[in-house]
Amino acid sequence: MYSKKVMEHFRHPRNMGEMKDPDGIGQAGNPICGDVMTIYIKVKDGRIVDIKFQTFGCAAAIATSSMITELAKGMSLEEAMKITRADVADELGGLPPIKMHCSNLAAEALHKAIEDYRRKHSL
Amino acid sequence: MSFYEGEWMKVYLDNASSTMIAPEVVREMLPFLNEMYGSPASLHNLGVLARDALEKARERVSELIGASVGEIHFTSGEAESNNIAIKGFCRANRKKGRHIITTNIEHPSILQSIEALKKEGFEATSVPVNERGIIEPSRIEDALRRDTILVSLMYANHEIGTLHPIEEIGRMLKERGIAFHVDATYAAGRIPVNVDSMEVDLLSLSSHTIHGPKGKGALYIREGTSVEPLMNDGFKGIVLITMDVAGAVGFGRACKIAKERMGDMKRVQKMRDELIKGITEMKETYLNGDGKMRLPDNANFRFIGIEGEALVLSLDAEGIYASTGSACSSKELKASHVLLGLGLSPVEVHGSLRLSLSRYNTMEEVEYVLEKIPPIVGRLREMSPVWREVGRGKGLNEIMKEMSG
């Protein structure tokens, strides 16, 4: 069902954990549905210098959140806001159709983290 | 049977999904896949051999459940047996009434067959089980109407392994002249099943859940019970005539072994209890369903804060094969209706794990599993925002409210 890359990110997720004093926090999903993602970002000079994720969900949910942190790390906030679910799914070598919503949640959580940062810094 | 390969083992704990075919069963089937290929309907010797083998298999199935040979009909498995039992019986008896009773945790083939009958003018009542997964006979009694013609239940539940009080319900229904269908698929070979002490009129069985080949099952129809056929093959039977002699022979041998080796279940129960003890020692980890009224080989757990598909795949990487009732793991993205029927919240259902043993498992395998599960659960919990909030002292209802945006 899952590509090698998805299984790799599931078995060895990148940037997993809670962040102390994050500059922005974004959360997407719903525990009732079975997927919740939290993304923490640290921002310096308009760039994401550190990023972490926590996920309650299936292998696809864990893999997509891991992948999006890998993609977003080092990006400017503008670039990171442009990451789409398709980008995440493509980087993972594709996802089964019923799991595409996981990549959507990952993008949503990241964008919310950026919006949270901007709100806190009145940008 | 365990396959020890280097540092890790392959431990099969998904026997409720399907079982290994017993080696003796494969051996007994082989001639009917090779030189004994006659049709049981043919007049010549090759046909006679096939017919005799079929009848011997039928006899073995009947002996497992205390029925007469003529009351056993071969089907393609549990789902087909359930369909014929429910649809065939109700259609044949529609003049006597239109009301059917079942519970909210029965097998999908039972629930869907009943749904289909609603389109033909039948009505159904789904009686809720208690939080331990067991139906109280009084609740069925309260649901009975003058026009109730059938009650359909599983003896043992496929997901949580709990047992309904079948004999008590059977007696109650016999007194009132209401037909009783029992799906004994998961009970057969694990606990005694007897059509007379259970007072059943229709009973479903499956081959591949008792170490027989896939694609075979049986429907017991008590003599004198009217059942309309669902499909026609030009003959007068209620069920299509079986050409699959090999499958029937395999199923028959599996039934014989199941009856002879029922004593193995004592050892299986010990392994089950070791798993329950070890796993429920973990924080926020619980057994789903009644602790006593359950099969000797099945234990379904909920691990608060983590998701079942991630758990099953993590176990898979360690050579441990199990299943889950989480929504993410199902094709329709629906959480287990059985676990929801116990009154569990969706979050709890998503974190479920079903472990189902067989006589071929060993205590060494159980110890391996108990060693591997805690670090896997620990890793997934460390990763989980739900578990993070549990750690902050929040209850699940609060967490679900807060995180539902």
Side-chain angles (χ1 to χ4, degrees):
Chain A
M1 170 161 70
Y2 289 128
S3 72
K4 264 198 183 129
K5 224 165 176 204
V6 169
M7 288 313 285
E8 166 58 25
H9 275 263
F10 167 59
R11 301 239 171 97
H12 306 287
R14 290 56 165 153
N15 308 306
M16 187 268 283
E18 216 178 328
M19 190 186 273
K20 279 205 170 97
D21 308 316
D23 294 327
I25 305 178
Q27 191 165 283
N30 187 327
I32 295 174
C33 297
D35 288 297
V36 180
M37 299 174 190
T38 308
I39 292 201
Y40 307 92
I41 55 173
K42 224 168 183 64
V43 181
K44 200 173 177 188
D45 301 325
R47 288 201 170 267
I48 295 175
V49 293
D50 197 12
I51 178 168
K52 287 221 176 316
F53 84 90
Q54 279 186 313
T55 294
F56 163 85
C58 62
I62 292 168
T64 52
S65 26
S66 164
M67 175 52 88
I68 211 172
T69 63
E70 197 172 66
L71 288 175
K73 198 169 193 175
M75 274 189 179
S76 71
L77 297 177
E78 289 76 29
E79 283 173 318
M81 273 305 272
K82 290 205 190 116
I83 297 177
T84 65
R85 72 173 186 171
D87 295 328
V88 179
D90 289 343
E91 279 295 322
L92 284 169
L95 284 171
I98 57 167
K99 298 288 184 180
M100 279 304 287
H101 71 277
C102 295
S103 57
N104 209 21
L105 286 180
E108 194 187 321
L110 173 65
H111 298 160
K112 277 185 174 171
I114 296 170
E115 276 155 16
D116 181 50
Y117 166 80
R118 284 179 169 159
R119 228 192 339 270
K120 286 183 179 144
H121 294 77
S122 323
L123 289 170
Chain B
M1 249 156 68
S2 69
F3 299 89
Y4 196 80
E5 287 177 346
E7 292 293 336
W8 52 285
M9 307 172 91
K10 278 208 182 89
V11 181
Y12 189 77
L13 290 179
D14 200 19
N15 288 281
S17 287
S18 196
T19 62
M20 179 188 81
I21 306 182
E24 311 95 293
V25 169
V26 176
R27 278 197 296 274
E28 191 149 343
M29 286 172 72
L30 279 175
F32 300 94
L33 296 173
N34 287 319
E35 68 277 10
M36 310 254 272
Y37 52 81
S39 158
S42 295
L43 296 174
H44 48 66
N45 193 47
L46 221 53
V48 170
L49 286 170
R51 192 156 53 253
D52 286 349
L54 199 60
E55 288 319 301
K56 183 163 139 191
R58 200 187 303 272
E59 199 178 314
R60 286 169 165 181
V61 175
S62 74
E63 279 165 7
L64 181 62
I65 61 174
S68 308
V69 181
E71 296 174 315
I72 303 296
H73 307 261
F74 285 115
T75 64
S76 63
E78 177 188 16
E80 186 189 337
S81 296
N82 286 343
N83 266 262
I84 299 172
I86 294 166
K87 292 174 181 165
F89 175 83
C90 289
R91 286 172 187 159
N93 292 275
R94 58 163 20 107
K95 291 210 176 92
K96 294 190 191 153
R98 300 286 178 93
H99 182 239
I100 308 161
I101 295 175
T102 188
T103 82
N104 58 344
I105 66 167
E106 306 310 315
H107 195 265
S109 59
I110 291 177
L111 300 178
Q112 209 176 36
S113 294
I114 293 174
E115 269 310 298
L117 283 176
K118 281 184 180 171
K119 296 192 188 128
E120 297 173 25
F122 287 88
E123 285 171 17
T125 301
S126 171
V127 187
V129 296
N130 62 27
E131 77 286 349
R132 288 171 293 118
I134 297 174
I135 191 65
E136 271 140 44
S138 57
R139 284 204 189 163
I140 299 213
E141 203 174 355
D142 291 341
L144 292 174
R145 296 174 2 185
R146 262 208 218 119
D147 63 334
T148 305
I149 50 168
L150 182 71
V151 172
S152 176
L153 303 175
M154 299 174 83
Y155 189 170
N157 186 271
H158 54 305
E159 294 199 26
I160 54 179
T162 49
L163 306 171
H164 288 318
I166 293 295
E167 291 190 5
E168 195 183 330
I169 295 170
R171 268 195 304 272
M172 172 180 76
L173 295 177
K174 177 100 192 279
E175 277 170 24
R176 290 167 172 74
I178 295 169
F180 194 20
H181 164 242
V182 168
D183 179 352
T185 296
Y186 304 88
R190 293 137 172 98
I191 52 176
V193 173
N194 184 287
V195 293
D196 288 331
S197 54
M198 288 158 67
E199 305 274 16
V200 295
D201 302 285
L202 303 150
L203 186 110
S204 304
L205 288 172
S206 165
S207 164
H208 79 104
T209 44
I210 56 166
H211 307 289
K214 291 171 177 62
K216 259 290 150 308
L219 175 62
Y220 156 82
I221 303 175
R222 186 178 289 275
E223 209 191 302
T225 310
S226 306
V227 176
E228 246 177 54
L230 259 56
M231 295 198 288
N232 306 113
D233 58 2
F235 294 99
K236 280 192 277 189
I238 296 165
V239 177
L240 298 180
I241 289 191
T242 307
M243 282 298 140
D244 175 20
V245 179
V249 163
F251 182 24
R253 184 62 189 267
C255 287
K256 179 166 191 274
I257 297 170
K259 186 165 187 204
E260 286 166 357
R261 296 186 60 174
M262 188 92 72
D264 286 350
M265 286 298 135
K266 283 205 191 83
R267 180 176 57 85
V268 172
Q269 189 165 309
K270 283 210 176 93
M271 293 190 282
R272 179 204 73 184
D273 290 342
E274 269 301 298
L275 284 171
I276 294 174
K277 180 161 158 279
I279 291 172
T280 55
E281 256 168 22
M282 294 172 62
K283 252 193 282 180
E284 294 285 341
T285 303
Y286 311 98
L287 181 69
N288 295 320
D290 193 276
K292 291 218 168 65
M293 287 291 289
R294 56 172 42 251
L295 291 175
D297 65 345
N298 179 315
N300 189 309
F301 304 91
R302 57 186 185 277
F303 296 83
I304 306 302
I306 64 175
E307 189 277 334
E309 192 215 77
L311 181 54
V312 167
L313 290 178
S314 300
L315 287 168
D316 179 39
E318 302 284 353
I320 301 166
Y321 306 131
S323 65
T324 173
S326 87
C328 297
S329 69
S330 90
K331 270 174 274 159
E332 284 107 33
L333 296 181
K334 277 208 207 128
S336 154
H337 70 286
V338 174
L339 293 171
L340 288 171
L342 297 179
L344 297 176
S345 67
V347 173
E348 292 172 294
V349 176
H350 295 322
S352 63
L353 182 74
R354 179 183 68 184
L355 300 178
S356 42
L357 300 138
S358 81
R359 72 171 82 100
Y360 300 101
N361 289 114
T362 64
M363 200 50 105
E364 191 191 358
E365 290 178 330
V366 167
E367 281 157 20
Y368 175 78
V369 170
L370 289 176
E371 193 190 298
K372 292 289 176 184
I373 286 189
I376 286 174
V377 172
R379 185 187 91 111
L380 292 172
R381 279 179 165 166
E382 199 194 322
M383 211 189 283
S384 161
V386 174
W387 184 251
R388 178 192 72 216
E389 298 304 305
V390 168
R392 290 180 182 164
K394 293 193 188 149
L396 285 181
N397 287 328
E398 201 188 329
I399 295 172
M400 283 193 285
K401 238 197 211 155
E402 278 180 14
M403 288 183 169
S404 296

